[in-house]
Amino acid sequence: MSWFGIAGDEAWRSTGLYVPPAKTVTLLFPPNAISAQLQVQIDCGSDDLSDAEEFRRPPVVMRWFEVKSERMEVSSFNIEYVHVFLIIPLCTGHCKHNILYIVLPKKSSLGAISVTVEGASLAPYFKLGETSPSAWNDIRHFPAPWAELETENIIFTVPSEDVRTMDNLKDVLIIWGEMMKAVAKLAAIPPLFPRPERIVEDVQISGAGGMHAGYPIMSDATVSVKITDRQMYTEGAWDALRELGHNQQRSGWDFPPHTTDATCYLWSIYVNETVLEIPREKAHPDLDPNVRKKRVKDYIQGGAQLKDFTAWTALEPYLQEAFGWDPYIHIFAEYQKITSISNDNTFKMNQWAIRFSAEVKKDLGPFFKAWGWPITDELIQELARSFGPWAGDPMKEYE
């Protein structure tokens, strides 16, 4: 097996192998790998469930071993978890992914290396462009309980039983390839990610939702059909795209706690519209025009207070169909170049109003002011002098 180091954040390189529970696996590295700051990683369930009230899997499952010698022996077994298994007698190997990875450090320049692994089992692994349909007929039956599906910019870890019967993985991953290019386009980043995003499904994740952002994005194992099946073509992949959007948010244009759980939806909407051709009003029930209109009316009648400017309400100012998507791509590209910016929300919200007004050549001061944004009087005057009024301002009907 061979891997290449690439510039970017710390990245996992899957071996496509599975470490059976309580078994020892031997890895043989070449001499040049010893000084490369590599790690061997077992499992990919990154959530620490130590504070959970109940457990469907051990609270911590990932293990790391520094590559300090050419020969290494590693095991997924950890004595600290014995009491957990006693509490959960039904927990089996399915509770832990136990896939074996080589972790490359950030900005690694290591060339190709070959690693020999002894004692591991094969896991179902489908890589777009490399795995043929005929090969998949055999690979899908490899014994590991977890499988991995890889395309250029994203890798999925899903229960093997959910994909063993699937013959259309190539089609699904091609679509995901297009979706990831769209994610990159809206974020104004290069189309090839420094490292592929990962979505890892697990029998239990932290938090109350079914998914959460990060590297990897963690997902409840019951949602795999929503991201690896043809129904995605007609129903969209809203939740996964939302978390991918979270990963693209930047501090300079995020105004916590108001927009953190709002602007991430832009990626769900954009990819659904531009790749899957699902209009926003069909992509999610909360984007029904009547629902949106009532939401805005209730917010304005409540005094347009920032304490109420959250979630779907906070998304509304970004959903101005009159401007299209290009202004967002251009503005996000500007923010990508900014190396530092104040964390003060008032400053950042005024900056956004300036940049968006300049991009669309309209005075958007009254628009953002109507939403209760802390737009300064000085900026209101500056925008009025610099740009013509926005005749299509939808907030005028609520005056």
Side-chain angles (χ1 to χ4, degrees), residues 147-308:
E148 292 203 307
L149 316 176
E150 179 179 352
T151 189
E152 188 174 56
N153 284 324
I154 193 165
I155 301 171
F156 301 95
T157 305
V158 297
S160 296
E161 61 188 19
D162 287 351
V163 296
R164 284 195 171 111
T165 60
M166 294 183 65
D167 299 318
N168 66 322
L169 286 178
K170 179 180 177 181
D171 295 338
V172 170
L173 291 178
I174 286 174
I175 288 294
W176 267 106
E178 295 302 312
M179 292 164 67
M180 293 306 296
K181 288 178 182 177
V183 168
K185 183 176 180 179
L186 180 59
I189 61 175
L192 180 62
F193 285 47
R195 63 176 178 183
E197 291 275 20
R198 284 183 175 272
I199 297 182
V200 172
E201 299 190 14
D202 204 346
V203 295
Q204 184 178 4
I205 66 173
S206 62
M211 300 185 81
H212 67 71
Y215 183 80
I217 293 169
M218 293 300 299
S219 169
D220 188 285
T222 61
V223 305
S224 63
V225 68
K226 297 181 180 179
I227 59 177
T228 59
D229 200 293
R230 286 184 180 273
Q231 75 175 48
M232 176 181 66
Y233 303 158
T234 56
E235 298 181 11
W238 183 272
D239 292 340
L241 293 168
R242 175 193 62 204
E243 304 308 337
L244 288 164
H246 267 308
N247 283 355
Q248 295 303 324
Q249 287 175 319
R250 297 294 180 265
S251 175
W253 51 263
D254 180 34
F255 319 130
H258 311 297
T259 61
T260 303
D261 286 323
T263 52
C264 57
Y265 293 142
L266 292 174
W267 275 263
S268 294
I269 299 168
Y270 179 74
V271 177
N272 272 290
E273 287 188 344
T274 62
V275 179
L276 300 178
E277 299 182 349
I278 301 174
R280 61 188 63 183
E281 61 269 21
K282 300 293 184 181
H284 197 283
D286 277 297
L287 293 178
D288 178 274
N290 293 325
V291 174
R292 289 179 58 189
K293 190 174 183 66
K294 182 179 185 304
R295 185 162 53 234
V296 176
K297 183 178 180 180
D298 290 346
Y299 177 72
I300 298 301
Q301 290 182 345
Q305 302 179 66
L306 279 184
K307 67 179 181 65
D308 301 321

Side-chain angles (χ1 to χ4, degrees), residues 82-139:
V82 169
H83 71 287
V84 176
F85 286 110
L86 291 176
I87 295 173
I88 320 169
L90 295 179
C91 188
T92 67
H94 289 69
C95 294
K96 299 172 68 178
H97 302 89
N98 283 8
I99 295 175
L100 187 68
Y101 301 88
I102 307 298
V103 182
L104 285 78
K106 185 175 182 178
K107 296 183 179 179
S108 172
S109 59
L110 182 66
I113 63 170
S114 295
V115 180
T116 300
V117 182
E118 302 172 349
S121 300
L122 292 169
Y125 202 112
F126 188 102
K127 184 172 183 178
L128 184 66
E130 294 187 10
T131 307
S132 66
S134 58
W136 176 243
N137 287 335
D138 294 325
I139 293 171

